Amino acid sequence: MGVGIDVVDVTRFAKSLERTPGLLVRLFTETEQGLLPVSLAARFAAKEALAKALGAPSGLLWTDAEVRKAENGRPFLHVQGTVAAAAEEQGITDWHVSLSHDAGIATAVVVAEAR
């Protein structure tokens, strides 16, 4: 149904979080907030990629999408609220996410799929 990709400069993102303390709470769930800046940058990239996969509808709350890790370490998306509603409206039932970070850049790809 949709695919999104995003890249984030880790250092610039970390500086943004330092300059604007409220940003952490606005962008990340309580569980995500304790992660290192490189992991936060990758998760923000995933949230941006998710929005792109949905066609960038207005009104999405960043905290309605959370990147979690399965027991084997593989990331997956947990969506609720505004994100889940937008996905349901489009018939999206499954998400695929890939995260990477290297050389100061965090990258994420998200695929939205309908069964």
Side-chain angles (χ1 to χ4, degrees), residues 24-45:
L24 187 69
V25 174
R26 197 164 64 241
L27 297 177
F28 300 104
T29 65
E30 208 170 295
T31 303
E32 292 171 319
Q33 290 173 21
L35 298 172
L36 296 173
V38 68
S39 293
L40 290 173
R43 279 157 175 75
F44 181 68

Side-chain angles (χ1 to χ4, degrees), residues 4-62:
I5 185 170
D6 198 64
V7 296
V8 174
D9 181 294
V10 175
T11 301
R12 190 172 70 174
F13 187 73
K15 287 179 182 177
S16 294
L17 291 175
E18 288 174 16
R19 273 194 319 271
T20 313
L23 201 56
L24 187 69
V25 174
R26 197 164 64 241
L27 297 177
F28 300 104
T29 65
E30 208 170 295
T31 303
E32 292 171 319
Q33 290 173 21
L35 298 172
L36 296 173
V38 68
S39 293
L40 290 173
R43 279 157 175 75
F44 181 68
K47 292 175 187 216
E48 284 278 347
L50 178 149
K52 291 173 184 176
L54 284 171
S58 62
L60 296 181
L61 296 176
W62 296 114

Side-chain angles (χ1 to χ4, degrees), residues 52-77:
K52 291 173 184 176
L54 284 171
S58 62
L60 296 181
L61 296 176
W62 296 114
T63 53
D64 282 346
E66 181 178 73
V67 178
R68 297 180 177 176
K69 278 189 181 181
E71 286 184 23
N72 64 3
R74 185 177 183 176
F76 68 95
L77 288 168

Side-chain angles (χ1 to χ4, degrees), residues 2-8 41-55 95-100 105-112:
V3 63
I5 185 170
D6 198 64
V7 296
V8 174
R43 279 157 175 75
F44 181 68
K47 292 175 187 216
E48 284 278 347
L50 178 149
K52 291 173 184 176
L54 284 171
W95 298 99
H96 306 280
V97 61
S98 180
L99 308 175
S100 185
I105 301 292
T107 307
V109 175
V110 170
V111 175

